[in-house]
Amino acid sequence: METTYSLPVSGEPTVSEIEIKRSRFITWIARAETEDEAREVIARARHEYPDARHHCSAFIVHVDGAVPIERSSDDGEPAGTAGKPMLDALRGSGLESAVAVVIRYFGGVKLGAGGLVHAYSESVSQALEAVPRAEKSLRELISVNLPHTDAGRIEAELRTHGVDVVDVAYAAQAQYTFAIAPGSRGEFDDLLAAVTQGTATAREAGTMWVECDR
């Protein structure tokens, strides 16, 4: 099972533009973690460039434990000359949960099938070079209850060994949820025993994806 993948950082799309034989190719690349989010980005591009002749698109959406969802559209360009080369460029970047839209303003000179494939591929490839990336990693969640008097010290010691704190709830004891790398439960248990003198008990609490900038 895949435990890490790269995706664009959240926020506004990365925008790039090239001109080929008087045609303008404006490329957007943005994060899209669902098909609906991808289609919202495409719809926004159509809204912001309503007078463009084509709004071609491609996206790859990460799916936990399954093959990513991939879609593309030529949007009126000859079949296979826009969406597919755009999707190929996305695949080659290693990004998932990403959508690319290329807005074309026709300049009056036909490019031919080969020229279109090159133009759409190059548009996305150039934009990809400027995309700020984040990385998501799968983490195992561990729940541990700690006495309030010792919780701060224990938390600090665990953090120095690379253990992430996901959540803390305060009741009779401080109820911590820690995130650890898959397969490292044994090491965590040994560390927890050392910093608590064996007084704390760890319980499995599922998994989650943790994001960090690259």
Side-chain angles (χ1 to χ4, degrees):
M1 178 182 175
E2 183 181 29
T3 58
T4 61
Y5 69 94
S6 297
L7 71 170
V9 299
S10 296
E12 288 297 299
T14 296
V15 182
S16 177
E17 180 175 343
I18 62 175
E19 182 174 320
I20 300 175
K21 294 184 177 179
R22 298 203 297 273
S23 280
R24 292 174 63 203
F25 294 85
I26 304 167
T27 301
W28 283 16
I29 297 179
R31 176 182 294 204
E33 298 192 74
T34 66
E35 283 195 72
D36 285 345
E37 287 182 6
R39 298 192 190 284
E40 286 172 7
V41 174
I42 297 165
R44 178 182 165 188
R46 290 182 180 278
H47 177 75
E48 293 199 17
Y49 299 92
D51 54 339
R53 178 170 292 192
H54 304 283
H55 304 79
C56 304
S57 59
F59 60 82
I60 300 174
V61 173
H62 175 86
V63 180
D64 288 352
V67 176
I69 298 169
E70 298 183 348
R71 301 282 186 271
S72 64
S73 169
D74 295 311
D75 193 42
E77 294 283 29
T81 62
K84 184 180 183 302
M86 291 172 63
L87 185 58
D88 287 343
L90 274 183
R91 287 189 189 122
S93 74
L95 288 175
E96 296 186 19
S97 295
V99 56
V101 186
V102 177
I103 302 105
R104 183 188 181 192
Y105 284 90
F106 182 56
V109 178
K110 292 185 177 180
L111 302 182
L116 287 171
V117 169
H118 172 76
Y120 281 99
S121 177
E122 180 64 21
S123 295
V124 175
S125 295
Q126 178 174 296
L128 283 166
E129 294 178 2
V131 173
R133 298 185 176 209
E135 186 173 89
K136 284 197 172 183
S137 299
L138 188 65
R139 292 288 184 262
E140 295 179 6
L141 300 181
I142 306 296
S143 177
V144 181
N145 289 346
L146 298 172
H148 294 290
T149 53
D150 296 326
R153 174 187 61 80
I154 294 168
E155 175 187 341
E157 291 194 42
L158 292 175
R159 284 183 182 274
T160 63
H161 287 82
V163 177
D164 294 322
V165 177
V166 174
D167 186 52
V168 185
Y170 295 99
Q173 288 189 308
Q175 301 169 349
Y176 277 84
T177 302
F178 297 106
I180 62 174
S184 65
R185 175 62 188 274
E187 295 174 14
F188 176 82
D189 286 346
D190 291 343
L191 176 61
L192 182 66
V195 299
T196 66
Q197 289 75 51
T199 60
T201 300
R203 299 176 301 280
E204 293 182 2
T207 61
M208 72 176 295
W209 288 93
V210 176
E211 179 175 339
C212 61
D213 292 337
R214 293 183 58 183

